[in-house]
Amino acid sequence: MFSRNLPETLCTTAHLLHGKGAARIFAFCTHGLFSGSAAQLINDSPLDELIVSNSVPIKPEFRAACKKVKQLSVGRLLAEVMLSVHQGLSVEDILRPENAEHLSAGLGAAQ
């Protein structure tokens, strides 16, 4: 989470979506930077799941306090980018929709 207010904004939005009839609510953030009351806010929200990359480690105490957060590894994506750069190939090709299945095979839950 980038700003001090983002967990509040995200959870407020989840409450609004739930109030409008959303059956399931998922959120995605690149970097899971959690502090303060973020675990409580997320737990008390109607979010089903908040998915973040493992670009920043999640503190064990936060992980224990908030079971709605799932962390995915970006290792395979970074490896593909580094290989493409090394070989002088386009990084843009990695991100094309037709390559999504290939990349998603390497996106597993981070430990």
Side-chain angles (χ1 to χ4, degrees):
M1 319 295 297
F2 290 112
S3 77
R4 182 171 289 175
N5 296 335
L6 189 56
E8 292 152 359
T9 302
L10 181 65
C11 294
T12 297
T13 302
H15 282 288
L16 289 170
L17 290 168
H18 183 72
K20 294 287 185 181
R24 300 192 71 196
I25 302 168
F26 297 87
F28 303 85
C29 293
T30 305
H31 311 294
L33 300 171
F34 302 105
S35 63
S37 61
Q40 188 66 44
L41 286 167
I42 294 166
N43 285 335
D44 292 345
S45 79
L47 280 171
D48 287 287
E49 196 168 53
L50 172 57
I51 300 170
V52 299
S53 76
N54 67 339
S55 60
V56 176
I58 294 178
K59 294 179 181 176
E61 53 273 9
F62 180 86
R63 189 180 299 278
C66 189
K67 300 297 184 190
K68 291 185 176 185
V69 173
K70 180 178 182 180
Q71 196 173 38
L72 297 179
S73 173
V74 293
R76 184 172 185 151
L77 175 61
L78 293 176
E80 294 277 348
V81 168
M82 287 188 280
L83 181 61
S84 289
V85 169
H86 178 72
Q87 294 176 337
L89 302 173
S90 171
V91 173
E92 180 183 350
D93 290 341
I94 295 169
L95 304 175
R96 293 190 188 282
E98 58 268 20
N99 294 325
E101 189 173 320
H102 167 72
L103 283 175
S104 65
L107 291 176
Q111 299 299 322

